Amino acid sequence: MEEGGFEPVLCVKPEVHVHRIHPRATNRGYRAAEWQLDQPSWSGRLRITAKGQMAYIKLDDRTSGELCVQAAVDQFPGTAVESMTDSSRYLVIRVEDGNGQRAFIGIGFGDRGDAFDFTVASQDHFKWVKQQCEFAKQAQNPDQSPRLDLGFKEGQAIKLNIANMKKKEGAAGSPREGFLPDF
């Protein structure tokens, strides 16, 4: 990641819980019921930031604000963020250190609304990325988009029928009496 670039903050949640999870034994997905939900390994603040087409889930220390761990997300949903099969408040994220080692950790929100905000912020970012790619393609090939001709053809005319129109007094172009004040 480049230093000094602008990273907009997409979502901040002041409380998130991190859980150690066991490796998946089957392809059935992760289940929050298998975790020790009453004993999180760590609690802190979650931020989602964006830089270019990537989103970053950052877990910060609650008191000092120091970055503890971050997960790079290139698509949502995807391998970097997986939802649970039994709960909407818990997710599994893939974190990576600077040496290329990866680990999967479970994160949980105390409120469904916080989990919903997380999901919507992530989805909105990747919808924006998709739109930007489509705009770039259209800018490169502007002639491929169909042109809509709304002009009248030679000799074409339209007729307007406006029903129930009564002619108002003074509408024939003569000034109405008493319209102009006496000076």
Side-chain angles (χ1 to χ4, degrees):
M1 198 167 84
E2 298 173 7
E3 291 298 320
F6 176 68
E7 285 188 46
V9 177
L10 306 176
C11 181
V12 175
K13 291 299 164 189
E15 179 138 8
V16 66
H17 305 290
V18 174
H19 301 274
R20 294 180 197 265
I21 61 172
H22 301 289
R24 251 193 318 199
T26 65
N27 283 340
R28 70 181 174 132
Y30 291 102
R31 293 176 40 86
E34 297 171 352
W35 301 353
Q36 295 177 339
L37 298 178
D38 57 340
Q39 299 173 1
S41 301
W42 181 85
S43 292
R45 179 179 73 170
L46 177 135
R47 288 183 299 139
I48 304 175
T49 62
K51 191 162 192 176
Q53 295 185 354
M54 295 290 290
Y56 295 92
I57 300 170
K58 299 181 177 189
L59 301 177
D60 302 329
D61 184 74
R62 192 179 308 168
T63 54
S64 68
E66 182 180 342
L67 178 66
C68 295
V69 69
Q70 79 176 1
V73 182
D74 58 351
Q75 66 180 11
F76 184 84
T79 57
V81 180
E82 295 182 46
S83 59
M84 309 303 316
T85 59
D86 63 342
S87 177
S88 63
R89 292 187 312 149
Y90 296 93
L91 303 161
V92 174
I93 61 172
R94 182 185 67 200
V95 296
E96 190 172 328
D97 67 0
N99 299 327
Q101 292 182 328
R102 296 178 182 161
F104 289 91
I105 60 172
I107 61 170
F109 299 96
D111 183 38
R112 280 193 190 122
D114 290 342
F116 178 78
D117 292 345
F118 172 89
T119 302
V120 169
S122 301
Q123 288 173 342
D124 284 350
H125 171 72
F126 288 106
K127 282 182 188 176
W128 176 82
V129 167
K130 184 178 177 182
Q131 284 179 340
Q132 294 303 313
C133 290
E134 289 174 4
F135 291 152
K137 286 178 186 176
Q138 286 178 356
Q140 289 176 355
N141 301 323
D143 296 336
Q144 290 183 351
S145 61
R147 300 286 181 196
L148 186 58
D149 183 16
L150 298 176
F152 288 112
K153 308 294 185 268
E154 183 77 26
Q156 186 179 15
I158 60 171
K159 180 179 177 185
L160 297 177
N161 259 341
I162 303 175
N164 298 330
M165 286 277 302
K166 293 181 181 176
K167 191 172 183 180
K168 294 182 181 178
E169 279 187 44
S174 62
R176 293 181 292 187
E177 288 184 34
F179 178 71
L180 295 175
D182 292 331
F183 292 105

